Amino acid sequence: MNDLARAWDEAAEGYEAYFVPRFAPWVRTAVDALGPLPDGPILVPCCGTLPELDALTERFPGRAVVGLDLSAGMVRLAAARAAGNPRVSVVEGDAVTLDPQWTGRFAGVVSVFGLQQLPEPETALASWANALRPGGRLSVVFWPGTTETDGPFAVMREALNPHVPPSDRSWEERLTGYTRDEYVTHPMTHPDAATLFESYVRSGPLRALATARGEEFVAQLREDFLRLAPTGEWTHHPRARLLVR
């Protein structure tokens, strides 16, 4: 099994409990940005637990929705969310290069906070756009290389720097030609730094790294993060990038 898929399998329930409610405003932003669509189904690549479903069924009642994710654990929770809705299906698979049978099939493609995790984001975007039928719309929200200059995401990056060099984000600069390309900010609140750290490492994007490096690494990272973090409730305003075509 792919290490990333395994990590998200293990993180799925915690991710649903902790991050899905906090990411909800960006989900709404992405769905609203689709605007009017032609007839046809909607694809949600990197769907995770499919938190887009409620907003999609509210805005586009009666539409078929297809979720796609590499993690069996995420797919299981997404299927549970969709239980009772026969027009929703969830598929376990690769979101970078879509199945050729999906070419030109979808009226809309919407993805929230999956793109930056993929090994080939530009290839994925091209594949998603290729899945659109004439008049279809693509709406993607992702975390850019810099989400904030302070706040927990910035503190986590500072804590990680001695251990993990920043990844190459040059692909972001090559994303051009969209009808909308803007940064969207919403507030996010965490009970305290320790709670956020555990969720970030056990149920979030650092699960794979924590598993690979082991508990000694996690303990050192926790010490560094908490040393840099404030005490008490922590509210911040990270910015995500929205692309619409």
Side-chain angles (χ1 to χ4, degrees):
M1 181 190 294
N2 179 288
D3 289 344
L4 183 60
R6 181 183 296 108
W8 283 115
D9 288 350
E10 297 165 349
E13 292 189 6
Y15 179 87
E16 168 70 18
Y18 192 85
F19 288 105
V20 164
R22 289 171 171 82
F23 291 168
W26 285 278
V27 169
R28 174 61 68 176
T29 293
V31 171
D32 287 348
L34 283 171
L37 296 178
D39 292 338
I42 298 171
L43 175 66
V44 188
C46 305
C47 70
T49 64
L50 198 55
E52 298 85 356
L53 184 59
D54 288 348
L56 285 172
T57 54
E58 175 187 324
R59 188 171 178 85
F60 304 102
R63 296 282 184 133
V65 175
V66 179
L68 173 67
D69 201 273
L70 85 167
S71 162
M74 290 291 191
V75 167
R76 176 177 55 81
L77 293 183
R81 187 188 298 277
N85 188 334
R87 298 191 62 76
V88 180
S89 58
V90 189
V91 180
E92 182 183 342
D94 181 13
V96 175
T97 304
L98 300 182
D99 191 312
Q101 69 173 334
W102 287 357
T103 299
R105 176 181 170 188
F106 293 95
V109 174
V110 60
S111 184
V112 182
F113 298 146
L115 183 70
Q116 77 281 346
Q117 299 180 48
L118 298 177
E120 301 174 61
E122 292 169 278
T123 300
L125 281 171
S127 183
W128 299 353
N130 198 42
L132 293 172
R133 60 180 47 185
R137 301 261 290 178
L138 172 76
S139 176
V140 176
V141 170
F142 68 93
W143 293 122
T146 300
T147 60
E148 56 190 6
T149 56
D150 54 13
F153 295 168
V155 170
M156 183 63 80
R157 182 65 261 170
E158 185 175 352
L160 279 168
N161 277 337
H163 312 284
V164 182
S167 59
D168 178 11
R169 301 293 296 237
S170 59
W171 56 270
E172 293 183 42
E173 300 171 8
R174 297 190 292 271
L175 302 183
T176 60
Y178 289 85
T179 55
R180 287 180 66 183
D181 183 350
E182 60 196 65
Y183 291 96
V184 180
T185 298
H186 294 293
M188 195 184 308
T189 299
H190 310 277
D192 52 57
T195 300
L196 171 58
F197 180 86
E198 290 303 313
S199 296
Y200 208 102
V201 170
R202 308 300 181 187
S203 306
L206 290 187
R207 177 80 193 210
L209 179 65
T211 299
R213 295 287 188 92
E215 287 305 313
E216 185 175 343
F217 165 77
V218 171
Q220 182 62 61
L221 185 64
R222 180 188 294 109
E223 180 181 328
D224 294 344
F225 181 80
L226 295 181
R227 174 173 48 80
L228 296 166
T231 58
E233 188 176 84
W234 201 355
T235 297
H236 61 131
H237 297 78
R239 63 174 196 163
R241 188 173 171 186
L242 167 68
L243 301 176
V244 180
R245 163 176 290 165

